[in-house]
Amino acid sequence: MMSINELLTVAVQKNASDIHITVGVPPVLRINGQLRFYDKAKKLTPEDTKNYVYQILNEDQLLKLEKHGELDLSYKLPGVSRFRVNAYKQRSSYALAIRVVSINPPTLDMLGFPNSLKEMVMKPRGLILVTGPTGSGKSTTLAAMIDHINRNRSCHIITLEDPIEYLHRHNKSIINQREIGSDTQSFAKGLRAALREDPDVILVGEMRDIETISIAITAAETGHLVLSTLHTMSADQTIDRIIDSFPSEQQAQIKIQLAGVIEGIIAQQLLPLKNNQGRVAALEILIANKAIRNLIREGRSHQIQTSIQTGLKSGMQSMDYALANLVRQNLITEETAMQRSMDVEILKQHMRIL
């Protein structure tokens, strides 16, 4: 059996984004969004998957895995890459889901993102959210945003991550990266503590619960720039998700607070390139202006998409506009755009205009 380091090296060489190790099949690589068996390896037995887990986890981590049934951690293979690892138990055996993470964070230019995002992340305070389904590149976008701040602004950045993925070096800013589970117990506790650590920018890996959301909004209100993620598909869904997280008697106040602090929402999807040589991100971009803030405050989030569509000159764009633009650039197929569209008729209108 190949060692875990040999398998991870092969995965990086093949440009895989994820590696799955489970009983009954060879190791599985996700390449350009598609799962593929690594045919040079045999079907894995329970003993094989156990050996792979034991090659990655230390004694303390193994104890936590046995106690809780799952564990998130980061793993570094010098000279190859970093990896985000989830070890878990299934049907009394071990399994691994491993995400490949580049050693160095990407830049916004490398990702091909518009200048409106650079302007957004240079805001001195407020709340910026990156949303999308699992595996849509949210962590990569956040890392690029932090990198842009680090290169261009003198400030103190604190990140709360589960686990730490990209490693940032001090540049114009100083950066302290804290990992949930080893450096702090939870996002909420780490975020509450961060407010006493003189930060200018706080990255919260995920707003998972009402307590974290509430503290994040308060942090943005008190003069910090807060960046985080949610698993929502669009800007209006994101607003609704945050508001609906609170009891009905608190929602009116949350609408007022959220309208005051929100600076931007980036909803993204990763799409296969037309040439099948990789993937590209399609971005819906909301930039908070007076109209957007009024819609949030008045509970008219269903009208946010209209404001995004009319805000193209100010740097906003709808998901359907982004998809049509990728078709125009010959990066994705029309079929892919149709499959990922929020409104096929609006997508067709954009494709005719572009």
Side-chain angles (χ1 to χ4, degrees):
M1 187 179 73
M2 323 173 60
S3 72
I4 191 66
N5 287 351
E6 290 172 331
L7 178 58
L8 295 179
T9 300
V10 168
V12 171
Q13 290 171 347
K14 290 181 174 293
N15 293 318
S17 62
D18 300 85
I19 305 97
H20 293 276
I21 293 173
T22 192
V23 172
V25 293
V28 179
L29 309 181
R30 187 180 292 277
I31 301 174
N32 298 331
Q34 302 297 314
L35 294 178
R36 301 179 185 178
F37 292 112
Y38 183 54
D39 293 332
K40 293 183 179 180
K42 66 181 181 68
K43 291 182 179 180
L44 300 174
T45 66
E47 190 63 26
D48 292 332
T49 61
K50 180 180 178 180
N51 285 337
Y52 277 135
V53 168
Y54 274 60
Q55 289 176 45
I56 289 183
L57 275 63
N58 59 36
E59 289 186 14
D60 288 341
Q61 292 167 336
L62 287 169
L63 289 173
K64 290 179 181 177
L65 175 59
E66 290 299 323
K67 180 179 179 180
H68 301 292
E70 63 269 331
L71 181 69
D72 289 315
L73 64 142
S74 55
Y75 183 75
K76 183 177 181 180
L77 190 53
V80 179
S81 191
R82 283 175 54 81
F83 304 88
R84 186 180 74 193
V85 180
N86 180 271
Y88 59 100
K89 300 185 77 173
Q90 62 94 27
R91 296 173 62 184
S92 300
S93 62
Y94 293 95
L96 290 166
I98 304 173
R99 169 69 52 82
V100 179
V101 181
S102 299
I103 294 176
N104 297 314
T107 66
L108 291 173
D109 287 334
M110 286 169 57
L111 297 176
F113 288 175
N115 287 330
S116 58
L117 265 63
K118 295 180 181 179
E119 296 171 6
M120 186 188 297
V121 297
M122 293 303 288
K123 298 279 186 179
R125 63 188 66 84
L127 178 65
I128 298 173
L129 300 173
V130 179
T131 75
T134 300
S136 59
K138 298 185 296 295
S139 297
T140 300
T141 298
L142 284 176
M145 289 178 162
I146 291 296
D147 177 76
H148 187 78
I149 296 170
N150 188 26
R151 291 170 182 267
N152 295 282
R153 183 180 168 195
S154 176
C155 62
H156 179 203
I157 302 170
I158 293 178
T159 76
L160 303 168
E161 303 173 68
D162 185 20
I164 292 172
E165 297 187 26
Y166 294 93
L167 294 180
H168 296 273
R169 297 180 178 87
H170 307 302
N171 197 326
K172 283 193 172 181
S173 296
I174 59 170
I175 302 183
N176 287 303
Q177 295 181 259
R178 306 190 70 199
E179 185 162 289
I180 306 303
S182 57
D183 299 320
T184 186
Q185 293 181 342
S186 67
F187 282 118
K189 288 189 176 182
L191 183 52
R192 196 179 297 279
L195 297 178
R196 301 189 296 272
E197 294 160 359
D198 188 35
D200 299 290
V201 178
I202 306 171
L203 182 147
V204 185
E206 186 180 342
M207 299 205 301
R208 292 178 178 172
D209 52 63
I210 186 173
E211 184 180 9
T212 304
I213 294 171
S214 182
I215 302 170
I217 291 174
T218 299
E221 282 184 313
T222 54
H224 306 87
L225 180 65
V226 180
L227 292 80
S228 192
T229 70
L230 280 172
H231 289 93
T232 47
M233 292 295 294
S234 62
D236 53 324
Q237 286 183 19
T238 302
I239 298 299
D240 288 340
R241 174 73 60 83
I242 292 173
I243 294 169
D244 291 344
S245 298
F246 291 84
S248 56
E249 64 271 17
Q250 296 181 30
Q251 290 183 4
Q253 179 61 33
I254 290 301
K255 289 174 186 175
I256 294 171
Q257 289 180 278
L258 186 57
V261 301
I262 194 71
E263 289 295 342
I265 299 174
I266 299 96
Q268 63 184 64
Q269 303 183 61
L270 276 183
L271 312 169
L273 288 169
K274 192 173 183 177
N275 60 11
N276 292 318
Q277 296 300 307
R279 292 186 290 175
V280 64
L283 308 181
E284 174 183 277
I285 302 173
L286 175 148
I287 299 172
N289 55 24
K290 186 176 180 180
I292 295 287
R293 296 185 195 280
N294 284 337
L295 292 176
I296 297 171
R297 193 178 295 113
E298 296 167 7
R300 294 187 287 148
S301 57
H302 60 281
Q303 296 179 16
I304 285 176
Q305 283 297 324
T306 301
S307 291
I308 292 175
Q309 290 171 18
T310 58
L312 190 61
K313 290 184 179 179
S314 61
M316 288 194 260
Q317 66 181 26
S318 68
M319 179 57 70
D320 289 314
Y321 178 89
L323 292 170
N325 199 33
L326 291 173
V327 172
R328 181 189 65 80
Q329 296 176 58
N330 205 34
L331 292 174
I332 65 173
T333 65
E334 288 190 20
E335 181 183 5
T336 297
M338 296 286 187
Q339 291 171 347
R340 301 297 188 91
S341 172
M342 305 299 287
D343 188 316
V344 173
E345 291 306 315
I346 293 177
L347 172 66
K348 290 179 179 177
Q349 291 175 19
H350 287 311
M351 288 197 292
R352 284 196 293 268
I353 295 171
L354 291 172

